[in-house]
């Protein structure tokens, strides 16, 4: 069996051969681009990897930097008056943050940051769709958390959402913030104060936490902190030593451009799941450390292949699972020598706020993986999660939105490491655009 397929099979991810598809072969690497729905039910999947009696094990541990979001709705004229480019992400000082907030009539505050959003969404998805408290996934956050009032607020909000913060409060560390400005067309503009930039040390306590989790998620923005490569490679080493699966986000395209060499070093060190959007994936593909080998490029695939598809095909040989979101176009998952094109999930109402869409997508994907789903089903859960978060203001799923992601008849026997029920058939399968299948035993 192909090593990538073996890894994902061991993870509970199921190979899915019975689908309509079109084939692409380029540069000696054959890929199957899968479009549409499964044509028949799949063989019974293995028992979920989270059907265990160990109630001390964390299902997902995030490693990143704590941030607090200030969210507000503004007019285009406000952005023009303040000289802020719409849709951009800019760095500001704490003094500029104070000045900007004083000029906004109303804003809301929430624990934020890309990774925090994903962890909150995952915890709420698990809570809304589980068979009971004993079956909820254990989700935790580690990394850099400030010792100021915002850091204390962050801890409180994460705990309330069902995410444990296991990082110590760092003395003399100021918590970073992001002002998220949303215009009427649901576009987001971000003004970030990074807070105290301090190395995240892999302490003995953090090593223990990594070794005692099932999936470690490394935040792409962590690459902007001092000695990030040392931190991330050490975390990957510890995870690999204990059989922990490793997911990594890319942050944004600028983070990739500034840190591509180090990011590729970490991918080669053993990243199992890569979460990116189309721009981030394209930047990673452009900066991959190979040359003159006839590697896949957009032009050699197909004139109708999207940037997301082309980038996914470039990255797939280097990582067991590559996930690329592409806004309203949908998303792409490359794994097991194949590529699945996942359509977006549209609701009757137009998007309200696109902030947090990619974070919710990653949460849905992790939820599907934890629940023992196949790749297509995981992708559709991810798509529905992203759709639910952009239908409201704010970067995370509220409990009601989390409950809407899965049909009511599917909310049975979602089992975590502390779950009491064993699932005989834990697969999800998709039969049409409105049905996400069955978790029933």
């Amino acid at each position: 069996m192909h090593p990538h397929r073996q890894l994902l099979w061991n993870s509970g991810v199921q190979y899915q051969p019975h689908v309509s598809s079109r084939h692409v072969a380029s540069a000696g690497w054959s890929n199957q681009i899968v479009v549409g729905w499964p044509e028949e039910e799949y063989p019974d999947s293995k028992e979920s990897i989270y059907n265990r009696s160990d109630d001390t094990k964390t299902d997902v541990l995030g490693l990143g930097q704590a941030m607090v979001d200030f969210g507000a709705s503004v007019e285009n004229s406000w952005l023009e008056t303040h000289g802020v480019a719409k849709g951009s992400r800019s760095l500001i000082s704490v003094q500029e943050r104070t000045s900007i907030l004083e000029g906004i009539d109303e804003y809301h505050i929430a624990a934020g940051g890309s990774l925090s959003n994903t962890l909150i969404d995952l915890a709420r998805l698990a809570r809304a769709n589980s068979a009971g408290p004993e079956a909820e996934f254990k989700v935790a956050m580690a990394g850099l958390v400030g010792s100021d009032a915002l850091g204390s607020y962050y801890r409180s909000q994460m705990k309330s959402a069902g995410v444990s913060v296991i990082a110590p409060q760092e003395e003399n560390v100021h918590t970073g913030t992001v002002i998220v400005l949303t215009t009427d067309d649901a576009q987001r503009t971000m003004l970030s104060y990074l807070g105290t930039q301090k190395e995240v040390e892999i302490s003995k306590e953090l090593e223990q936490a990594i070794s005692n989790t099932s999936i470690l998620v490394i935040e792409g923005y962590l690459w902007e902190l001092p000695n990030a490569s040392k931190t991330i490679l050490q975390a990957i080493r510890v995870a690999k030593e204990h059989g922990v699966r490793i997911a990594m986000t890319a942050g944004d395209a600028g983070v990739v451009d500034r840190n591509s060499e180090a990011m590729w070093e970490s991918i080669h060190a053993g990243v199992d799941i890569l979460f990116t959007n189309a721009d981030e994936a394209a930047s990673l593909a452009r900066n991959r450390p190979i040359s003159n080998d006839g590697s896949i490029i957009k032009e050699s695939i197909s004139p109708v292949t999207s940037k997301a598809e082309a980038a996914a095909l470039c990255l797939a040989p280097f990582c067991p699972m590559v996930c690329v979101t592409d806004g309203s176009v949908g998303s792409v998952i490359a794994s097991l020598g194949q590529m699945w094109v996942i359509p977006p999930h549209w609701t009757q109402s137009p998007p309200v706020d696109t902030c947090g869409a990619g974070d919710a997508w990653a949460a849905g994907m992790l939820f599907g993986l934890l629940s023992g789903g196949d790749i297509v089903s995981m992708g559709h859960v991810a798509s529905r999660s992203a759709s639910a978060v952009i239908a409201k203001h704010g970067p995370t799923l509220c409990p009601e939105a989390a409950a809407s992601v899965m049909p009511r008849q599917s909310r049975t026997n979602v089992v975590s490491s502390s779950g009491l029920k064993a699932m005989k058939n834990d697969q999800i399968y998709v039969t049409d655009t409105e049905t996400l299948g069955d978790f029933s035993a």
Side-chain angles (χ1 to χ4, degrees):
M1 181 178 286
H2 190 280
H4 288 181
R5 183 180 300 176
Q6 181 67 59
L7 181 148
L8 290 166
W9 179 266
N10 292 341
S11 303
V13 177
Q14 300 305 301
Y15 178 55
Q16 215 165 13
H18 304 297
V19 289
S20 300
S21 61
R22 53 190 171 92
H23 287 79
V24 170
S26 180
W29 193 65
S30 179
N31 299 276
Q32 189 176 56
I33 302 180
V34 179
V35 183
W37 308 101
E39 295 174 345
E40 58 183 83
E41 187 173 338
Y42 306 112
D44 289 351
S45 61
K46 295 180 64 177
E47 232 182 51
S48 169
I49 57 173
Y50 300 99
N51 271 348
R52 294 187 299 268
S53 60
D54 182 2
D55 60 2
T56 66
K57 196 174 186 71
T58 301
D59 293 303
V60 174
L61 173 66
L63 182 62
Q65 182 180 13
M67 303 287 281
V68 172
D69 284 349
F70 294 82
S73 297
V74 299
E75 301 291 337
N76 288 324
S77 58
W78 190 99
L79 297 176
E80 294 171 359
T81 299
H82 290 79
V84 178
K86 184 177 177 178
S88 64
R89 178 180 182 268
S90 306
L91 299 181
I92 59 174
S93 66
V94 66
Q95 292 80 13
E96 290 173 316
R97 180 186 70 187
T98 301
S99 176
I100 291 168
L101 292 177
E102 287 177 347
I104 298 175
D105 294 333
E106 182 180 356
Y107 55 83
H108 63 267
I109 308 175
S114 176
L115 177 59
S116 301
N117 293 341
T118 293
L119 298 178
I120 289 172
D121 290 343
L122 175 60
R124 286 178 174 165
L125 283 170
R127 183 174 295 176
N129 297 288
S130 69
E134 76 282 354
E136 293 175 11
F137 300 143
K138 289 181 170 61
V139 184
M141 170 74 176
L144 186 61
V145 181
S147 57
D148 54 0
L150 286 175
S152 297
Y153 172 80
Y154 174 88
R155 287 177 179 274
S156 175
Q157 291 294 297
M158 294 293 279
K159 181 179 179 181
S160 176
V163 180
S164 301
V165 180
I166 61 175
Q169 283 191 311
E170 299 278 357
E171 293 299 324
N172 301 316
V173 171
H174 299 288
T175 304
T177 59
V178 181
I179 300 176
V180 183
L181 305 173
T182 306
T183 48
D184 291 340
D185 57 358
Q187 288 299 306
R188 59 182 181 177
T189 302
M190 294 186 284
L191 305 173
S192 302
Y193 164 63
L194 298 180
T196 303
Q197 299 293 280
K198 184 178 183 295
E199 176 183 351
V200 176
E201 296 183 2
I202 306 297
S203 62
K204 292 295 184 182
E205 292 77 14
L206 184 50
E207 283 193 11
Q208 177 62 29
I210 293 173
S211 68
N212 200 40
T213 192
S214 294
I215 301 176
L216 173 68
V217 183
I218 299 171
E219 183 176 32
Y221 290 112
L222 200 63
W223 289 104
E224 302 288 69
L225 297 181
N227 298 319
S229 184
K230 171 187 172 185
T231 298
I232 292 171
L233 288 175
Q234 189 173 351
I236 290 174
R237 177 187 59 78
V238 174
K240 286 299 178 185
E241 287 176 353
H242 293 87
V244 176
R245 292 161 183 83
I246 302 163
M248 187 175 76
T249 69
D252 61 42
V255 171
V256 175
D257 288 337
R258 291 187 293 274
N259 301 280
S260 60
E261 184 176 349
M263 292 180 78
W264 271 107
E265 185 179 6
S266 70
I267 291 171
H268 289 311
V271 171
D272 301 308
I273 306 171
L274 186 61
F275 291 117
T276 70
N277 64 29
D279 290 337
E280 296 156 3
S283 181
L284 265 176
R286 284 195 305 270
N287 291 290
R288 62 195 186 281
I290 51 179
S291 61
N292 301 321
D293 66 343
S295 296
I296 299 169
I297 59 175
K298 179 178 171 58
E299 290 75 13
S300 68
I301 299 171
S302 165
V304 297
T305 300
S306 70
K307 178 168 71 173
E309 293 175 11
L313 289 176
C314 284
L315 300 176
F318 306 98
C319 184
M321 180 181 287
V322 176
C323 305
V324 184
T325 59
D326 198 12
S328 61
V329 177
S331 54
V332 176
I333 304 170
S335 184
L336 308 174
Q338 294 182 293
M339 186 168 74
W340 289 261
V341 180
I342 308 297
H345 176 77
W346 292 113
T347 61
Q348 294 181 347
S349 302
V352 173
D353 182 356
T354 57
C355 185
D359 306 331
W361 195 97
M365 196 71 181
L366 291 169
F367 177 82
L369 176 59
L370 288 163
S371 303
D374 58 66
I375 291 179
V376 169
S377 302
M378 289 159 56
H380 284 285
V381 173
S383 180
R384 292 179 69 104
S385 298
S387 179
V389 83
I390 66 176
K392 52 173 281 297
H393 285 289
T396 58
L397 292 169
C398 62
E400 295 77 17
S404 73
V405 170
M406 299 291 290
R408 182 172 300 276
Q409 62 267 29
S410 299
R411 297 176 202 155
T412 58
N413 291 357
V414 179
V415 181
S416 73
S417 57
S418 60
L420 301 179
K421 294 183 178 181
M423 297 193 294
K424 297 177 182 178
N425 182 355
D426 61 0
Q427 71 183 23
I428 312 170
Y429 60 92
V430 181
T431 57
D432 56 52
T433 55
E434 296 301 320
T435 304
L436 280 171
D438 186 9
F439 283 111
S440 58

